[in-house]
Amino acid sequence: VAASWVGMLPGTLLYVYLGHASRTGVEMISGGEVDLYRLGYTVVGVVATGAVAVYVTRLARRALRQRTKGAGLAGEADDCDGEACDEC
């Protein structure tokens, strides 16, 4: 349960932040006043959160691949030597 929670945390944070960013955008549009600093910070935050979520996901996949290598699990490519690739 704890491992599942930790594994799902980056995606959850991304979805929560996207919701916050959407709300901020709607408030700016409906209020008629655009604060460029707030908009800039929001965009940078969304990009950074997405990058971290992708990075952590790739790290987790690589670790799983290395742990299951040699275990003979179905769906694992033979030519994938523990590195991240699209075929695995």
Side-chain angles (χ1 to χ4, degrees):
V1 171
S4 294
W5 182 78
V6 169
M8 290 185 290
L9 190 60
T12 302
L13 292 176
L14 177 63
Y15 289 129
V16 169
Y17 196 77
L18 286 175
H20 169 73
S22 298
R23 178 179 173 207
T24 301
V26 168
E27 286 176 353
M28 280 191 225
I29 291 170
S30 65
E33 150 182 335
V34 177
D35 182 6
L36 292 179
Y37 290 114
R38 186 174 176 189
L39 179 63
Y41 285 129
T42 301
V43 169
V44 168
V46 168
V47 170
T49 305
V52 168
V54 168
Y55 178 71
V56 169
T57 301
R58 287 186 179 181
L59 283 177
R61 284 184 183 158
R62 185 176 301 143
L64 279 172
R65 218 175 271 120
Q66 288 175 350
R67 296 281 288 167
T68 59
K69 185 178 179 183
L73 297 176
E76 185 178 333
D78 294 332
D79 60 345
C80 190
D81 59 354
E83 296 296 319
C85 64
D86 294 331
E87 292 86 24
C88 298

